[in-house]
Each structure stands twice: as C-alpha cells, then as structure tokens.
Amino acid sequence: MLQQRIRRTLLACTLGLSMLSLAAQACTRAVYLGDDGQIITTRSMDWKTDVMTNLWIFPRGAQRSGQAGPDSIEWTSRYGSLIASGYDISTTDGVNEKGLNANLLWLVESDYPTPAKGERTLSLSLWAQYVLDNFATVAEAVAALEKEPFVVVTDQVPGESRLATLHLSMSDSSGDSAIVEYIDGKQVIHHGRQYQVMTNSPTFDQQLALNAYWQQIGGTVMLPGTNRASDRFARASFYINAVPQKAPANEALASAFGVIRNVSVPFGITTEGQPNISSTRWRTVFDHKRGLYFFESALTPNTFWVDTRRIDFSAETGKVLKLDLGPNQTRVFSGETLDQFTPAKPFTFLGT
C-alpha cells in the first residue's frame, strides 16, 4: 500500500509540476545536524531577476505593525536580528540573537485564508521577521503559531501582477525544525528535528512521500539530477545526512556548503516549459554554534560572513545597520564584515 501511495503521489506531483506556468522562486533549505551541537542551516535563493537583497541588522526594541490593514497586530521586538531582505520591503532570511533561523521559500500551492471581520492580520512581508523578533526557539514559535494569533495577508510580487505565495521554515541551535504552510486556507505545521529539508512545490507532505521513494532506491545507487524542486529535495535530503556528522567545525561547514551548492541552479539556466525554475542568486549558511552567518553571491568570487556574537543588539545602544550588496549582489566583500555595515534608516515592510 505504501509503495502504491508513493507511486500515485509521484505521478500526481510530476503532472502538477509540468503544468506550472508561472515564474517562481525555486529555493532550497537544509539543516546539518552534526555531533557536539554543530547545527548548520543552509539555504539558496533562486529567482528570475535581481531580488535587490541587502543585509540588515535590527536591534531589539523595535516597534512594529503587521502592515495588513486596521486589524494588524502590533509588537515590540524582544530579540535583535540579522536579516537578508527581499527588495528592501521584506525579510526573506535571517537569524536572531538567540540563534533562531527563519527562511521564506516559494510555494505556488500556498492559499492564505481570507480574514474574518475583526481577525488580527500580518503582512506576508513580516512573517519571518515576526518569528525572529518574538521567539528564541522553534518550539516556542510553534507553540505560539499553533494558536493562530493572526491571519497572513499576501501582496503582489514587486514589479509583477501576481501574489506572493511562500512557506516558512525555522531552525534553532538545538537542531529543532519546523515548516509552516497555508494549504486550502488552513495553517499546516510540520514540527520536528527530522524536517531538515524544504524546497518548493509540491506541498511538504507530498515532498516527504517523494523522498520516501528515493530512500528506497538509495542515494549511492541513483539520485534525481534535475533542477526541479522535488529532485533538489531528494538530493539535499540524501547529502545532508551522507556527509560526515562527526567533523571539526570548519569541515562540517564545508560539508554544509557543499550540500547547498549541489542543489543550486547554475546562473543563467532556464528550463524550457518550466519557467518556475530559476537561477540561484545567493546562498546563506548559518553556523548556529559559533554564531556565524555566511553570505555567498553567485556573481562575486568571495564568501563573507558576520559574527553575530559581535553585534550590539541592545535597544539602548544598538543601531539599525545596513550592508549594501549592490545590484545583483555584485559588491565584493571578504572575511568578517560587521565593521563594513553602516547606519541606515530601516526599510518599510510591504503592506498597507
């Protein structure tokens, strides 16, 4: 019965993927679970055009609104964060001072509920930032989100006539993970250390079924090699656990980088009949144990990083800081770059 279900899921997902006609984000996220508390979260950002990403530092104590109309939630950030922006109107990736990591990836099947009168709301542009501002661990975030304190409200992708459809992943220094999606207007949460990998379509439960099929074959025998989301999921799931789990910190980091590079899409690649697949623009890797946040642009020769333990996140003396990465993230940086951030006015999150 299990094999029949997997075959049916494979067929349905293959047909569904072949019918996608919208250009979409095609990112990958994977969490390395090493010995001695070596937890490393990796992600790629794949998109058809420049995402206009910059790095930002937000101290704790920021006053925020959900930017989703008169019923928007409001809060004061409990934790400071280092984030990668999208178009400088949203948080697409980042970490907070407690080591919680949040990532937004595209999911065309996302279907957000319509808020009822009086329901509290939150703009999609702030979804990841809300998590980073308010929670120290994945378990804490899940416990709060399960109560559905708000309805997520989406908006148009900048420069396009379509709505953004995203799902959220979280990981923390303990290795705990969670995936949050809105399917058929309902919030679905997958919570557990075993949920190490997330890509895009299909929905996460179907990705798990597809991966079960490839686990039966075995990654040393054969792995799917295309740049489709389901194939990247299978490769990332195999390699993130096949690389050495007992390794010195720098070797573990090298393994994590190797996995996310393996599932990246070469720059300039387009797939005929599958415009939803896009080039990898940049990658981030976060070493939870050492507090190091690495950034790697596809269009520059160097990988650089920020030591989050050096950041002043305090509300009293901390400042909003920006590292301008330039058009297509082409400005070249090297080594630890905290001292190259400059004071800046915080961007305005997309919403109303």
Side-chain angles (χ1 to χ4, degrees):
M1 291 294 292
L2 175 60
Q3 289 182 342
Q4 290 179 346
R5 182 171 68 85
I6 291 172
R7 290 193 188 100
R8 287 196 298 267
T9 302
L10 277 166
L11 177 60
C13 292
T14 300
L15 290 173
L17 285 168
S18 68
M19 293 173 65
L20 291 176
S21 59
L22 292 176
Q25 221 170 10
C27 314
T28 305
R29 169 266 201 187
V31 182
Y32 171 89
L33 303 176
D35 287 355
D36 195 29
Q38 290 194 116
I39 310 299
I40 303 172
T41 300
T42 70
R43 75 83 52 89
S44 63
M45 168 61 82
D46 303 356
W47 195 241
K48 62 176 183 175
T49 56
D50 182 11
V51 195
M52 303 180 188
T53 295
N54 294 297
L55 297 188
W56 292 81
I57 292 171
F58 296 136
R60 69 183 81 102
Q63 304 293 318
R64 301 204 197 279
S65 163
Q67 294 289 102
D71 294 318
S72 296
I73 61 171
E74 296 181 349
W75 70 93
T76 301
S77 62
R78 297 175 60 195
Y79 305 112
S81 57
L82 165 66
I83 68 98
S85 66
Y87 301 98
D88 273 356
I89 58 159
S90 66
T91 293
T92 62
D93 187 86
V95 299
N96 70 15
E97 59 184 295
K98 294 298 183 179
L100 180 65
N101 183 235
N103 329 96
L104 288 180
L105 280 70
W106 194 266
L107 179 67
V108 72
E109 292 89 350
S110 296
D111 180 14
Y112 306 103
T114 301
K117 185 177 181 180
E119 274 193 301
R120 307 308 300 274
T121 53
L122 174 74
S123 170
L124 184 64
S125 66
L126 280 140
W127 196 13
Q129 191 64 50
Y130 175 84
V131 167
L132 296 175
D133 282 352
N134 288 289
F135 307 112
T137 66
V138 169
E140 187 181 343
V142 168
L145 295 178
E146 285 177 335
K147 298 175 183 177
E148 301 194 59
F150 52 76
V151 174
V152 171
V153 178
T154 187
D155 209 328
Q156 288 190 341
V157 178
E160 301 185 32
S161 58
R162 63 189 175 108
L163 295 175
T165 52
L166 306 172
H167 54 170
L168 169 72
S169 64
M170 297 176 284
S171 55
D172 64 26
S173 299
S174 74
D176 196 11
S177 279
I179 311 296
V180 187
E181 300 178 337
Y182 282 89
I183 308 300
D184 297 326
K186 298 183 182 299
Q187 179 181 254
V188 179
I189 300 178
H190 302 267
H191 178 208
R193 188 180 175 91
Q194 70 273 30
Y195 300 124
Q196 294 170 256
V197 175
M198 184 173 86
T199 55
N200 316 106
S201 297
T203 56
F204 193 69
D205 59 338
Q206 293 181 359
Q207 289 186 23
L208 294 175
L210 286 164
N211 194 51
Y213 168 81
W214 288 109
Q215 286 176 333
Q216 288 182 340
I217 295 175
T220 58
V221 176
M222 181 175 63
L223 280 172
T226 79
N227 48 8
R228 294 191 311 176
S230 55
D231 288 4
R232 287 183 282 108
F233 188 98
R235 292 205 306 282
S237 295
F238 171 74
Y239 283 119
I240 202 67
N241 291 296
V243 295
Q245 309 298 297
K246 296 181 180 180
N250 285 346
E251 292 182 17
L253 189 64
S255 293
F257 263 108
V259 172
I260 201 62
R261 288 167 179 157
N262 179 277
V263 294
S264 294
V265 181
F267 195 85
I269 287 289
T270 57
T271 303
E272 185 177 356
Q274 297 183 50
N276 56 299
I277 297 175
S278 304
S279 301
T280 296
R281 296 272 162 178
W282 49 259
R283 289 171 286 267
T284 61
V285 175
F286 180 54
D287 184 330
H288 291 259
K289 185 175 183 179
R290 295 187 290 174
L292 303 178
Y293 185 83
F294 294 83
F295 190 94
E296 182 176 70
S297 170
L299 293 176
T300 59
N302 293 338
T303 299
F304 65 90
W305 64 93
V306 179
D307 186 345
T308 62
R309 296 167 301 183
R310 293 184 57 226
I311 299 174
D312 181 3
F313 285 119
S314 69
E316 295 76 22
T317 58
K319 298 178 180 178
V320 175
L321 301 174
K322 176 183 178 181
L323 186 66
D324 190 334
L325 302 182
N328 286 295
Q329 300 76 60
T330 51
R331 289 188 175 160
V332 177
F333 298 93
S334 179
E336 209 282 332
T337 59
L338 177 60
D339 294 338
Q340 297 184 58
F341 281 71
T342 58
K345 180 181 178 181
F347 62 80
T348 300
F349 286 88
L350 180 66
T352 56

